[in-house]
Amino acid sequence: MLKSHAYILSDKMSSHALLVLYGSQTGTAQDTAERIGRQAQRRRMRVRVEALDSYNVANLISESLVVFVCATTGQGDPPDNMKKFWRFLFRKSLPADSLCRLDYAVLGLGDSSYPKFNFVAKKLHKRLLQLGANMLLPVGLADDQHDLGPDGVIDPWLISFWQKTLSLYPPPTGLAPLREEEKLPPRYIFHFSNDAPKQNEHLQTPDNKAPPTPLQPFPARVVFNQRVTDPSHFQDVRHIEFDITGSNIQYSAGDVVMMRPCNAAEDVEQFCKLLKLEPECYFTLTPTDSSTATVPARLPQPCSVRFLVEQFLDISAVPRRSFFELLATFATNELERDKLLEFSLAQGQDALHSYCNRPRRTALEVLADFPHTTAELSIDYLLDLFPEIQPRSFSIASSLLQHPNRIQILLAVVQYKSMLLKPRKGLCSSWLASLDPSKGDVYVPLWVKKGSLSFPQDPDTPVIMVGPGTGVAPFRSAIQERAAQGKMANVLFFGCRSESKDFYCRSEWEEKVQAGQMILVTAFSRDQEEKIYVQHRVKEQRKLLWDLIAKKKGFFYIAGNAKQMPTSVCDALKEVFQKEGGMTENQAQEMLDAMEKAKRFQSETWS
């Protein structure tokens, strides 16, 4: 069993306090915020790191120094854990000088391949200025597309931030900053005991009438889990149905179902072996600094090592740079320490990318590659080293009006080869694909949240949907819902590789076309010499589309993979406007912009 130690926090700290607030969807902004927190500790500064929605926003008027780290999601939306804060901050009733005591900096994390690049960070920055706050330095706009990834912007931005901050808030005299190789205290101490909990850690059915939440998900039984691609097709796509009877879940077309995956049994076993952990042991946690940390709400107290490793620690993700920074502080083997230090430094990011990101090497595989350092690890640092498993979202592919008490999804199982011997697998899709209801009851804890797509209420308004591949999922939900409501003006453009291999929901579409509930336009890209995609079909159907959009005020939707498809479909649509409406290129763009503003053009894309 790994040793657990006692730690003393230095009381030789600056009287100045830094607050780091983050809005994070996938965990990257949280990781960056925690990195800033560690840098503050090394500079002897008191620091708190919190999610924006966990923070009491009314206290912002009395803060003196705050860094905001925020991601942008969807079509320029704030992440889920800063939505309450966002609504409060944009209240018109807030006085213009309400934040005049506040020195602040904003760091945005985004991806310039999306149209609303770092929209949340830019808008937040502008709003803080309006409320009288003092900007310490220009807003940082980190970009996933940068050659060095987000760190290409974050590293130089942090150097400027600390220069400016330490000139305004100098550390106590005579106190040198802590060196990078010196360990900071862990956030939590593990206390092992023989006390098993009185209730099952895994499945607790919510006992109230409220719909399920991330902290109280509903254990939904898997009804079926069927492959819907031909066995000869390279991609395994599943149609999965969940029973939500008694859950109080209501959803409509465009909504998404959320679930947290579990680590594979063999990974849990290997992790426990590497770290000499006993899976059936129980522990409780205490924060080393109770003023800034609380025990994660998802971990029962007491908690088993198995639950922690299987359901909480993200051991199969590709680790971030912060993982190597912390690991390096444990290394006593010279070879391993040098390599870990290289991966921790700005100038070593190319080497880290080649070792980790390019081959998609997991944190568990890294531990196996550094056996001496792994043997030195203290269990108290597990929650500093590994992030929490993040929930995954799936567009709901069914309607309660056609399938009462059910949620269905279309799931593409992620599996591919890299330069590593073992195939790479998506954590959530592999876990879901492995669940076999024919071998006994299987339950998946889940909850539902509002999606970004919304559909018109007027029964006569036409709806045009472009959903290639699994992008068709939200449109299956919409067509089922609208057909049940008697709304028949539905046009679906569906694209896939082959009519015989990956034409999802074919019989259902054919039935609905027969019943006069929809028009179906298909593009099978590999069934002929030249590749035909949905954008080609959009151009071909220009007379129909012009009639539905310009004359009948139709709504236009795109869902699917965010590589080239959304841009190509938009270009095809603008060509329809130019050819059928006699417009110039600029006028066609203006028409598309006006449709987007009026919510008549909506897209939901993912990478």
Side-chain angles (χ1 to χ4, degrees):
M1 174 64 64
L2 287 183
K3 299 184 293 293
S4 183
H5 302 282
Y7 302 90
I8 299 163
L9 271 172
S10 167
D11 55 357
K12 293 176 181 171
M13 286 283 193
S14 161
S15 57
H16 304 300
L18 168 67
L19 175 62
V20 187
L21 294 173
Y22 64 84
S24 185
Q25 196 69 19
T26 61
T28 310
Q30 180 177 349
D31 181 70
T32 304
E34 286 168 354
R35 179 181 168 196
I36 297 169
R38 288 192 296 275
Q39 290 184 350
Q41 282 181 281
R42 291 191 183 285
R43 286 160 178 79
R44 312 283 188 170
M45 206 167 207
R46 295 187 187 281
V47 63
R48 284 182 1 246
V49 181
E50 278 189 62
L52 277 151
D53 277 358
S54 307
Y55 174 71
N56 182 351
V57 65
N59 294 340
L60 203 56
I61 54 167
S62 53
E63 302 288 354
S64 54
L65 178 61
V66 180
V67 178
F68 298 88
V69 184
C70 44
T72 296
T73 69
Q75 312 306 307
D77 303 313
D80 290 344
N81 65 0
M82 70 176 281
K83 284 192 165 148
K84 282 194 305 203
F85 168 85
W86 198 245
R87 282 195 297 274
F88 180 90
L89 200 71
F90 283 89
R91 279 185 187 170
K92 290 189 170 61
S93 58
L94 295 180
D97 61 347
S98 47
L99 297 180
C100 60
R101 291 182 51 187
L102 179 67
D103 287 334
Y104 79 92
V106 174
L107 176 58
L109 274 66
D111 183 330
S112 58
S113 69
Y114 286 83
K116 296 208 170 164
F117 171 58
N118 265 317
F119 185 75
V120 170
K122 292 171 188 171
K123 199 171 172 184
L124 172 62
H125 169 63
K126 211 168 156 184
R127 181 60 174 153
L128 292 168
L129 282 178
Q130 283 175 354
L131 295 172
N134 314 300
M135 172 181 77
L136 287 173
L137 72 166
V139 59
L141 301 173
D143 185 4
D144 278 350
Q145 301 300 318
H146 191 288
D147 288 347
L148 294 172
D151 284 345
V153 170
I154 294 170
D155 285 357
W157 187 89
L158 282 174
I159 290 167
S160 304
F161 169 76
W162 286 117
Q163 283 170 347
K164 182 75 180 173
T165 301
L166 294 175
S167 68
L168 290 171
Y169 300 89
T173 44
L175 265 185
L178 292 169
R179 296 192 316 279
E180 287 296 326
E181 58 272 23
E182 288 184 68
K183 274 191 209 73
L184 292 169
R187 278 182 298 175
Y188 304 100
I189 310 290
F190 280 66
H191 306 276
F192 285 92
S193 71
N194 299 318
D195 298 340
K198 292 176 178 59
Q199 54 185 354
N200 185 346
E201 294 171 303
H202 295 258
L203 288 174
Q204 288 157 35
T205 308
D207 52 4
N208 53 19
K209 290 279 163 68
T213 63
L215 286 177
Q216 271 215 314
F218 178 78
R221 185 174 59 85
V222 180
V223 180
F224 64 72
N225 182 351
Q226 296 163 347
R227 179 172 172 139
V228 289
T229 43
D230 189 81
S232 66
H233 190 57
F234 77 99
Q235 174 79 73
D236 179 0
V237 175
R238 300 300 179 93
H239 183 190
I240 305 178
E241 180 174 272
F242 304 95
D243 182 353
I244 54 165
T245 305
S247 67
N248 302 303
I249 288 175
Q250 292 296 320
Y251 66 85
S252 46
D255 289 351
V256 293
V257 61
M258 309 288 295
M259 49 192 89
R260 272 197 186 85
C262 295
N263 286 308
E266 69 264 27
D267 288 352
V268 173
E269 192 182 332
Q270 190 195 352
F271 183 88
C272 290
K273 269 188 184 154
L274 276 173
L275 292 170
K276 300 183 173 58
L277 291 169
E278 181 49 62
E280 306 315 323
C281 259
Y282 283 84
F283 64 87
T284 52
L285 292 174
T286 46
T288 44
D289 181 356
S290 54
S291 66
T292 61
T294 54
V295 174
R298 275 210 318 122
L299 287 180
Q301 296 285 293
C303 178
S304 70
V305 168
R306 183 180 299 284
F307 184 91
L308 175 75
V309 180
E310 182 183 85
Q311 301 203 34
F312 192 85
L313 300 179
D314 202 354
I315 61 174
S316 67
V318 176
R320 298 182 171 101
R321 177 174 158 188
S322 57
F323 178 86
F324 294 92
E325 287 172 359
L326 180 52
L327 212 50
T329 64
F330 287 94
T332 51
N333 175 283
E334 200 176 336
L335 266 175
E336 290 188 8
R337 187 177 65 233
D338 289 349
K339 192 42 99 177
L340 290 167
L341 285 171
E342 180 191 358
F343 291 156
S344 306
L345 299 171
Q347 53 270 38
Q349 292 313 290
D350 271 349
L352 178 57
H353 202 80
S354 300
Y355 168 70
C356 223
N357 301 64
R358 205 165 291 132
R360 310 305 293 164
R361 198 181 301 269
T362 69
L364 181 56
E365 288 169 329
V366 173
L367 291 183
D369 278 356
F370 290 85
H372 298 95
T373 307
T374 300
E376 298 288 329
L377 269 180
S378 157
I379 192 171
D380 288 332
Y381 284 89
L382 284 186
L383 275 79
D384 298 88
L385 200 54
F386 295 95
E388 181 179 351
I389 293 173
Q390 294 295 318
R392 308 316 201 246
S393 61
F394 297 95
S395 294
I396 296 175
S398 55
S399 165
L400 286 169
L401 298 180
Q402 192 170 321
H403 300 280
N405 293 316
R406 296 288 188 267
I407 283 178
Q408 298 181 359
I409 62 170
L410 270 179
L411 169 84
V413 182
V414 178
Q415 183 166 343
Y416 56 94
K417 286 291 291 176
S418 77
M419 59 191 272
L420 301 174
L421 188 64
K422 197 176 168 187
R424 306 292 90 189
K425 291 180 174 184
L427 176 63
C428 192
S429 63
S430 301
W431 171 65
L432 284 172
S434 75
L435 304 176
D436 185 355
S438 69
K439 292 182 176 163
D441 284 354
V442 194
Y443 294 88
V444 171
L446 52 77
W447 66 99
V448 164
K449 79 172 197 189
K450 271 267 152 283
S452 62
L453 301 178
S454 57
F455 293 85
Q457 291 304 308
D458 184 337
D460 299 322
T461 302
V463 166
I464 302 136
M465 297 159 275
V466 181
T470 53
V472 79
F475 302 142
R476 181 174 182 259
S477 177
I479 291 167
Q480 287 184 1
E481 182 174 288
R482 288 170 58 77
Q485 293 166 337
K487 298 171 183 172
M488 306 303 184
N490 305 306
V491 180
L492 174 66
F493 287 80
F494 175 73
C496 63
R497 287 186 170 225
S498 168
E499 186 174 7
S500 62
K501 292 187 175 173
D502 56 339
F503 188 177
Y504 314 137
C505 316
R506 178 181 187 161
S507 56
E508 182 175 342
W509 303 141
E510 287 169 351
E511 278 171 31
K512 283 186 161 49
V513 169
Q514 282 296 120
Q517 294 172 343
M518 66 183 285
I519 293 170
L520 176 67
V521 182
T522 53
F524 305 114
S525 62
R526 304 296 200 277
D527 280 354
Q528 60 288 307
E529 198 68 25
E530 74 289 356
K531 290 177 184 165
I532 295 174
Y533 296 114
V534 281
Q535 57 265 31
H536 300 123
R537 298 300 192 212
V538 166
K539 290 178 195 176
E540 285 172 17
Q541 297 291 331
R542 62 177 191 261
K543 286 198 174 355
L544 170 69
L545 292 179
W546 180 253
D547 178 59
L548 294 176
I549 292 168
K551 296 178 185 167
K552 295 181 179 160
K553 298 284 179 277
F555 281 49
F556 193 96
Y557 299 82
I558 302 174
N561 196 302
K563 282 184 185 141
Q564 285 91 33
M565 183 273 295
T567 310
S568 304
V569 172
C570 285
D571 290 344
L573 190 57
K574 286 185 282 189
E575 196 176 300
V576 170
F577 297 165
Q578 287 171 256
K579 287 194 171 162
E580 291 301 309
M583 294 181 171
T584 64
E585 202 176 322
N586 281 348
Q587 286 170 325
Q589 183 62 56
E590 281 166 14
M591 180 165 171
L592 191 60
D593 292 344
M595 282 178 67
E596 187 166 9
K597 206 169 178 185
K599 293 270 194 223
R600 285 181 56 212
F601 174 86
Q602 297 175 41
S603 69
E604 182 176 271
T605 55
W606 53 86
S607 50

